[in-house]
Every structure is written in C-alpha cells, then in structure tokens.
Amino acid sequence: MHIATCVWQEKAAAGGMGGAAVGGGKGVGGEWGAARGRVVAALGVAGCALNCAVSFVVFSALDVLDVVLCLVYKLVDYAVDAEWKSCYCAAAAGSGVQVATAAAAPGPKVVRLSSSASSPASSAKLQLEDVSDTLYVRPSLLADATRTGNVAIHAAAAPTLTVSPAIAELIRGKMDRPPRPPRQAPCWSDCDCKLCHSWSGTPASSSHLYVHVQAPPPTAPEAPIEDVVFIHGFISSSVFWTETVFPAFSAAARSKYRMFAVDLLGFGRSPKPSESLYTLREHVEMIERSVLRRYRLGSFHVVAHSLGSVLALALAVKYPDAVKSLTLLAPPYFPVPETVSAAGAGAAAQYVMRKVAPRRVWPPIAFGGSMACWYEHVSRTICLTICRQHRVWDRLFRIFTRNRVRTFLIEAFMCHTHNAAWHTLHNIICGSAGRMDAYLDVVARQLTCKVALFHGRDDELLPVDCTLAAGARVPRARVTVYDRKDHITIVVGQEKLFAAELEAIWKAD
C-alpha cells in the first residue's frame, strides 16, 4: 500500500485540470468566481511587492550589520585568542591579490595567486577544487539591484576577481597546510560541552566521524546481513535517524540490516577542525574512512536527507558496483540553465545560492536560510546565540513542554560550529551545482541500483520541484510526494510509515 502520492508529470496534469476548471466556471456564479479570482490575484501581487520592498530594506540593513560585525569579531578574536580570524568579506583594496579562475576549463579549478597580473610565472598555484566561489563573491543587495544582465553575463565578462591578501592567505593556508590532528580546543564562540566536543578525548576518535551502529542482535537467525548508510542533512546529525526511523523498523529488518548513521564532519559528535574547508572531497573521504573502510562494507544501501543527498550521489558515482539502492529525501537539485552553466562553475554556484537563499523575509525559513548563506558574521552570531547556548535552549524547552517532548532535534540542529556550517553550505550545496547533472546522469545511465526520491509538498526550504527535476533526470526513479509534509515532517511524525517504505525498497532491491 502506498503511503504517499506518487507523482509524474504533476505539472502537466495540474495544468489540464486547471483548464477544465476554467471551462466549467462559465455558468451560474461564473462572474462572481472570475471577480474573486481577480481580487485574489491583485492581493497576491500586492503581497509580493510588499515582500520585495520590506526585504530590500531588511537585507540592505543586514549588509551594513555584517560589515560592523566583521570588525567586532576581529577585535574580540584578537582579545581572546591574540589573533583574529581571516574572513571572506575583507575589502578588495588596491593592495589585493588577483585571483584568475579558469572556470570553463575541464578538470580541477586552479586559482593563481600573485602580487601582480604581469608576473604569472612567479605566482603560486592553489588547487581550489570543491571550493565555491560564493564564499568570497556575495554582492550586496544594492549592488545586485543596480546590475544589468544575469549572473551568466557577469561571470563571463569578469573571469578574474581581486580579493584581499587576507582571503588569499586564508585559502592558501588551508589548502597547502599539511594534514594535522583537529584542534583540540574550540573557538571561544563555539560550544565546548562533552556532546559537541566528545571527539577530542582520544587521537583515534579525532580521525574518524562519529558513527551510530545498529547491528542485528546476537540471537538473530543466521542470514546474510546487508548494510545501510544513513546521511543527515544540513545543520543536523545522526539523531535525525536514530531517534526516528531506527526504533520504528520491524524486528525482521533489525535482524537483517546493519545500519550506520554518521555525524558529518563538523556536526554532532564528529570532529570539527577549524582549518578544514569542509569540501565535498573532505566529507566523502571521511565517510569512506569512518564507515566503508572501517567496517569493511562491500555493498550497501544509502539513505540521505537534503544536503546529504549530494554526498550520497557522490558516493554512488564513486562506488557504482557497491550501492544496492539509493534513497534521497528532499535533494537540493536546482537545474542550472544552459546560459548560466556555459559561464562556468562560478556562475552555476551563484545561481543556486540565489535559489536556496533568495533574500526574502517571507517565508520565515527563506529568511533564515538567506541570513545563513549571505552573511558570514551574522550567521556566526546566530551560531553564538543558538549553538553555543544549546544546553540552555534544551533546558528551557524541557521546562516549557514539561518534559513531555523529546528534545533530540535540539541536538540535531544545534551541535555544530559556524566554520563547519558556513563552509559546508557553500561548498556542498552551492559549489556542487555544476556537478549535480553529471551525478544524476551517471546514476541514470551507468548504475543499476533502485532509486527512490521523496519530498514534502509543503517544503518551503527546498521546493518539490527539486525532486521532480531529479526524477525527470533519472527516469527509472520512483518519485513520492507527501501531502501536508515539509522538510522535517517528511520523516518526523510518520516514522513507522517511512520505515516501512524503506524496508519495501530494500526488499525489492
């Protein structure tokens, strides 16, 4: 029995029904219906205009606030740690370093750093594969409003950027620095509790991700054991799975499947190295080291939510013969127009950033995403207020609900660092924009595993069109849309139904 509405060509069907409705409206009450429709349309236009106007004022103020916070954090960092952290919003002054990108060229993105454009032979090369341009190219709202043409035109006309030495040294140090153990002491603005900093206890734990393993009990009947890897989404952790669907699996599933739920690098109980850029390569390599090689997984199923879907696709492409099934929930797939993709990876990243974070005050989730994506120091302030104080928020939540509601989502959403969240958001969601089409094409043409896609129809963070577009790219995928479910309640609140759906997928594999 299906637990949701399976949709294909949903828009075409809706269009057909809409046409029929218009035709049927002629008759009794038709004029009243048409008048009401015009009023609703007028209110919609007015609301959109109001949203745009208020958004322009609010985000223009945030542009100024982020500059002020940049100075504040530099002073506080220097006062506490005797040095200030380099950031990506430093002004591009005349003493800057020219960064010439070959975005349209195949292969890894190489950035050349030099004190002058006339001496390329003496410049130092940096490998910036997986580093998103959106980290250091985020124009203010006023600058965006005064631009003419689209992102692709600007990217094509200006293949070189001038950034400050601080940014150059920041990237140079992080990319050229030899591997070393993660910093044991957290930054003053990050939480240092045993939960967030549990990985710092032993050297072994600091080199692997935290992995929750649910293995079949010793008394289970002898049968071939299959492995399942669960990957959480942005600002989340393994508890998104372990506190929801894990307890909901049937006894038969618990006796047959060995389940691994990871805390991604920088999140939950996993290491949070301050020198990491949290690129796609780093995240995938840590999953390989902590799960695939450590537990010797020869074949496995993958279940991933939101941002984790990008990592799941990267794993599937890298291990095409090992993945038995691929289940993606709310994948952040925004098809990039050809005019934009032709301008290079930078233009594609800018396009996706504007889709994910449109700089609008409504809906609220778009407002929160826009602050987290566009403003480096505003987002650090949010982490300082929420993540560093998550124990206080947990205590208040327990008091407010009289301890009647589990607070695992506080652990899921608040146990990370600003450095991890900032780089992961830009380097995975925005920076992988140009790769998603290629990943999905490999899944469609070269992999034979079963593919299932799920989305909540009321998801305001990532619209349902993301999953519909991914389904169109992989024709054999089963696309399921849940009515009256959003980005979180696609799992939370219907755990047993979703666990049953996963079991059906694995059995049918």
Side-chain angles (χ1 to χ4, degrees):
M1 179 179 180
H2 294 295
I3 60 173
T5 305
C6 292
V7 292
W8 279 109
Q9 301 176 346
E10 186 179 80
K11 290 184 175 179
M17 289 187 295
V22 171
K26 296 177 180 178
V28 179
E31 293 183 1
W32 166 250
R36 184 175 59 181
R38 288 193 293 270
V39 172
V40 170
L43 290 176
V45 171
C48 183
L50 179 62
N51 191 17
C52 290
V54 174
S55 298
F56 183 83
V57 174
V58 170
F59 284 98
S60 295
L62 287 173
D63 288 333
V64 177
L65 176 62
D66 204 58
V67 175
V68 174
L69 288 175
C70 176
L71 177 60
V72 170
Y73 279 117
K74 275 183 169 50
L75 294 175
V76 177
D77 286 340
Y78 187 81
V80 177
D81 297 331
E83 62 178 3
W84 54 60
K85 294 175 60 178
S86 299
C87 62
Y88 293 104
C89 63
S95 59
V97 180
Q98 191 176 64
V99 179
T101 63
K109 181 168 55 178
V110 175
V111 171
R112 186 181 298 275
L113 299 180
S114 64
S115 57
S116 66
S118 60
S119 57
S122 61
S123 61
K125 292 183 179 179
L126 285 181
Q127 196 85 347
L128 291 186
E129 186 180 5
D130 295 336
V131 176
S132 174
D133 299 66
T134 57
L135 282 169
Y136 48 86
V137 182
R138 287 171 285 106
S140 67
L141 190 61
L142 183 61
D144 257 359
T146 56
R147 279 185 171 183
T148 57
N150 57 29
V151 176
I153 293 176
H154 286 282
T160 61
L161 302 167
T162 300
V163 298
S164 71
I167 294 177
E169 289 304 316
L170 172 69
I171 300 175
R172 186 197 303 275
K174 289 188 175 182
M175 298 302 291
D176 289 351
R177 184 179 297 158
R180 62 182 182 181
R183 178 182 177 183
Q184 298 298 305
C187 175
W188 68 268
S189 58
D190 297 327
C191 181
D192 61 351
C193 72
K194 292 182 179 180
L195 176 64
C196 296
H197 214 53
S198 59
W199 52 270
S200 64
T202 62
S205 63
S206 64
S207 62
H208 290 87
L209 301 177
Y210 171 82
V211 183
H212 177 99
V213 183
Q214 180 171 297
T219 57
E222 293 187 6
I225 301 297
E226 297 184 31
D227 295 316
V228 187
V229 179
F230 289 81
I231 307 175
H232 64 77
F234 183 57
I235 56 169
S236 187
S237 74
S238 57
V239 299
F240 182 79
W241 305 111
T242 60
E243 295 288 337
T244 56
V245 295
F246 273 34
F249 284 119
S250 66
R254 288 196 294 270
S255 65
K256 182 178 180 181
Y257 299 102
R258 185 171 57 157
M259 304 176 194
F260 302 87
V262 303
D263 282 353
L264 293 177
L265 184 68
F267 297 87
R269 305 187 186 194
S270 285
K272 304 169 179 65
S274 59
E275 72 274 7
S276 174
L277 285 173
Y278 296 89
T279 62
L280 181 70
R281 181 185 298 274
E282 289 177 281
H283 279 292
V284 171
E285 287 181 349
M286 285 298 287
I287 294 174
E288 291 174 317
R289 180 193 309 169
S290 306
V291 182
L292 305 189
R293 291 198 292 267
R294 189 178 188 182
Y295 295 94
R296 300 179 182 178
L297 271 61
S299 62
F300 50 92
H301 304 270
V302 183
V303 182
H305 176 241
S306 190
L307 174 142
S309 300
V310 182
L311 305 179
L313 286 170
L315 281 174
V317 169
K318 193 169 185 178
Y319 298 94
D321 298 327
V323 176
K324 303 183 70 173
S325 72
L326 192 60
T327 304
L328 308 180
L329 289 75
Y333 173 55
F334 295 89
V336 180
E338 292 184 3
T339 54
V340 177
S341 59
Q350 293 287 331
Y351 174 84
V352 170
M353 181 173 66
R354 284 161 171 78
K355 286 290 185 180
V356 174
R359 285 188 288 189
R360 291 288 181 268
V361 296
W362 191 266
I365 197 166
F367 178 57
S370 297
M371 287 196 298
C373 194
W374 283 91
Y375 304 105
E376 183 176 2
H377 301 289
V378 170
S379 62
R380 184 178 178 184
T381 304
I382 295 173
C383 281
L384 176 63
T385 305
I386 296 178
C387 298
R388 196 177 191 281
Q389 309 298 329
H390 72 86
R391 290 166 292 182
V392 175
W393 292 113
D394 182 82
R395 201 173 298 116
L396 291 175
F397 187 80
R398 291 178 183 274
I399 295 173
F400 180 74
T401 62
R402 297 183 181 180
N403 212 24
R404 292 177 297 190
V405 180
R406 291 181 300 172
T407 59
F408 70 91
L409 287 179
I410 290 183
E411 176 183 337
F413 296 148
M414 297 185 181
C415 293
H416 62 271
T417 65
H418 166 255
N419 185 57
W422 176 256
H423 285 92
T424 298
L425 174 61
H426 283 276
N427 287 335
I428 305 299
I429 290 194
C430 300
S432 299
R435 302 181 180 200
M436 290 293 286
D437 286 344
Y439 285 162
L440 291 170
D441 287 345
V442 170
V443 171
R445 299 169 186 173
Q446 300 180 24
L447 273 65
T448 58
C449 65
K450 188 172 183 180
V451 181
L453 307 174
F454 296 86
H455 214 109
R457 195 180 299 277
D458 295 338
D459 192 334
E460 293 182 326
L461 182 62
L462 297 174
V464 71
D465 288 347
C466 291
T467 286
L468 298 179
R473 199 90 188 189
V474 185
R476 75 174 185 279
R478 178 199 171 192
V479 178
T480 304
V481 175
Y482 293 102
D483 292 323
R484 296 181 297 279
K485 298 297 179 182
D486 57 28
H487 201 66
I488 301 301
T489 56
I490 190 176
V491 172
V492 179
Q494 57 173 15
E495 294 88 348
K496 290 186 178 180
L497 292 175
F498 188 72
E501 183 72 6
L502 289 177
E503 292 182 35
I505 292 171
W506 301 336
K507 288 179 182 178
D509 179 65

